[in-house]
Amino acid sequence: MLRLVIRRLLQLIPTLLGLSVLLFLWLNRLPGGPASAILGERATEAEVARINRALGLDQPLYVQYWRFLKRIGELDLGTSVQTGQPVWDEFTLRFPATVELSIAAMIIAIAVGVPLGYFAARKRGGWLDVTAVSGSLVGICIPVFFLALILKGVFAVELGIFPSYGRLSTGINATEITGFAVLDGVLTGELDASWDAITHLVLPAITLASIPLAVIVRMTRASVLEVLGEDYIRTAESKGLKRSTVRGRHVLRNAMLPVVTAVGLLTGSLLSGAVLTESVFSFGGIGSFIRTAIDGRDYPVLVGFIMFIAIVYVLINLLVDVAYSLIDPRVRVH
């Protein structure tokens, strides 16, 4: 297992280096250059030259690229044009909110999607199968922002069951330790704050979980149907094994391999795709910050975000490989 992890980590190095090259070239090919992006379209040539000297953009490309790599290695992602604060500090401030929302969404997607896909496959052609397939199509097709507005309008504005914005209600005195509102409430014993944070998570988490849920349902259903047709399943049943043993040890475990891959990719996409959801519910995570950065052409923030999401993706892929090896030990030999 350790050799597998080390091998996968070494394979990530050229991936991140390649991405850094693309990012560096993108920065140097911006219309007018990064200086014009920072100063605005009406910047004078003298102002652009001054910024270029200050940023070292008048140096040869290989010197600029080395400095670019060095800054990334030191977690120096530059300074936000909008807030004037270091980009890394801005990310660490908002990152827990996005992670908390993404985890909640993925818990919903897995907890509902895997059982629903499994039983839909077991009852193929029945009402549950038809409902699951139809519902998954709706979940994939409906735009996330549209679903967010519907849920917010019905359950927050009309019925008043859940809060409509933010992470905590006004007047809740919560002690912040980790930045994860639910976890902080548990650690400090402030269960009222923890419950309040959960109620704020419900609507955005359901919204963000809609597409992953639909994908997991269809993936689980297709994988279970494929496994049910394998010879070793019929052999296990003919030997008189308990139905629960066949379903758990043979069917579900082998069907989970492609589902684990889908979950890994979907988790990475949640972190990068929470922009619209966080904007509708004013959740205060990385997503809403990135939307503001796009509107304000805050390129240091965008570069930091792209590198950050790339690192998250490769680490999630590593976890997927580890999970693969735990489900199917034959993977470890490859």
Side-chain angles (χ1 to χ4, degrees):
M1 179 67 73
L2 181 60
R3 285 183 296 179
L4 173 66
V5 172
I6 293 175
R7 188 166 63 247
R8 291 293 188 268
L9 286 175
L10 292 176
Q11 291 174 354
L12 300 181
I13 295 176
T15 301
L16 293 177
L17 283 176
L19 179 62
S20 69
V21 172
L22 292 177
L23 273 177
F24 175 75
L25 294 176
W26 173 63
L27 278 176
N28 281 273
R29 293 297 180 269
L30 289 174
S36 294
I38 295 174
L39 296 173
E41 297 179 355
R42 298 183 179 180
T44 64
E45 293 184 2
E47 291 174 334
V48 171
R50 178 176 55 82
I51 291 295
N52 285 337
R53 286 194 300 271
L55 298 177
L57 299 178
D58 56 344
Q59 300 292 323
L61 281 180
Y62 68 89
V63 175
Q64 295 182 43
Y65 178 67
W66 173 248
R67 293 178 59 184
F68 178 74
L69 280 183
K70 188 177 180 181
R71 289 200 308 270
I72 292 177
E74 296 173 350
L75 300 180
D76 179 10
L77 302 177
T79 302
S80 171
V81 176
Q82 300 175 94
T83 65
Q85 299 296 319
V87 174
W88 180 254
D89 292 346
E90 295 284 2
F91 277 4
T92 54
L93 177 65
R94 293 169 170 80
F95 179 62
T98 300
V99 172
E100 191 172 51
L101 176 58
S102 299
I103 290 175
M106 190 51 65
I107 289 175
I108 294 173
I110 295 174
V112 177
V114 172
L116 186 58
Y118 173 78
F119 287 111
R122 296 289 302 183
K123 305 294 183 181
R124 183 179 185 181
W127 67 269
L128 180 61
D129 185 27
V130 174
T131 303
V133 173
S134 302
S136 64
L137 288 174
V138 173
I140 292 176
C141 294
I142 188 170
V144 172
F145 73 91
F146 182 64
L147 178 61
L149 292 174
I150 291 177
L151 293 178
K152 183 176 180 178
V154 174
F155 294 100
V157 178
E158 295 294 333
L159 300 179
I161 300 176
F162 298 105
S164 60
Y165 66 92
R167 300 182 66 195
L168 288 171
S169 298
T170 305
I172 294 290
N173 295 320
T175 304
E176 185 173 330
I177 299 177
T178 63
F180 298 92
V182 177
L183 179 60
D184 287 345
V186 174
L187 294 177
T188 59
E190 299 169 346
L191 299 183
D192 58 332
S194 184
W195 175 251
D196 187 72
I198 291 175
T199 60
H200 281 77
L201 270 173
V202 172
L203 293 183
I206 292 176
T207 301
L208 196 59
S210 59
I211 294 179
L213 172 60
V215 173
I216 290 175
V217 167
R218 296 182 67 85
M219 184 72 71
T220 304
R221 177 183 178 275
S223 185
V224 170
L225 286 175
E226 182 178 355
V227 172
L228 287 174
E230 297 291 341
D231 292 337
Y232 61 83
I233 298 298
R234 289 190 288 269
T235 302
E237 292 175 342
S238 65
K239 288 182 177 180
L241 293 178
K242 294 182 179 180
R243 180 173 296 181
S244 59
T245 302
V246 175
R247 290 179 178 179
R249 183 177 301 176
H250 297 286
V251 176
L252 194 57
R253 182 172 182 177
N254 287 284
M256 283 298 99
L257 287 174
V259 178
V260 167
T261 302
V263 168
L265 296 175
L266 290 169
T267 302
S269 66
L270 286 182
L271 291 173
S272 59
V275 176
L276 294 175
T277 303
E278 291 184 2
S279 298
V280 172
F281 291 99
S282 302
F283 202 72
I286 290 180
S288 54
F289 183 54
I290 293 304
R291 181 189 64 80
T292 307
I294 293 173
D295 294 338
R297 300 179 67 188
D298 198 340
Y299 287 101
V301 171
L302 297 179
V303 171
F305 174 73
I306 293 172
M307 287 300 300
F308 180 78
I309 292 301
I311 293 173
V312 170
Y313 257 108
V314 295
L315 291 179
I316 289 176
N317 283 329
L318 173 62
L319 294 178
V320 168
D321 290 337
V322 173
Y324 247 65
S325 64
L326 293 176
I327 297 174
D328 188 355
R330 294 173 299 177
V331 176
R332 304 177 194 174
V333 302
H334 298 292

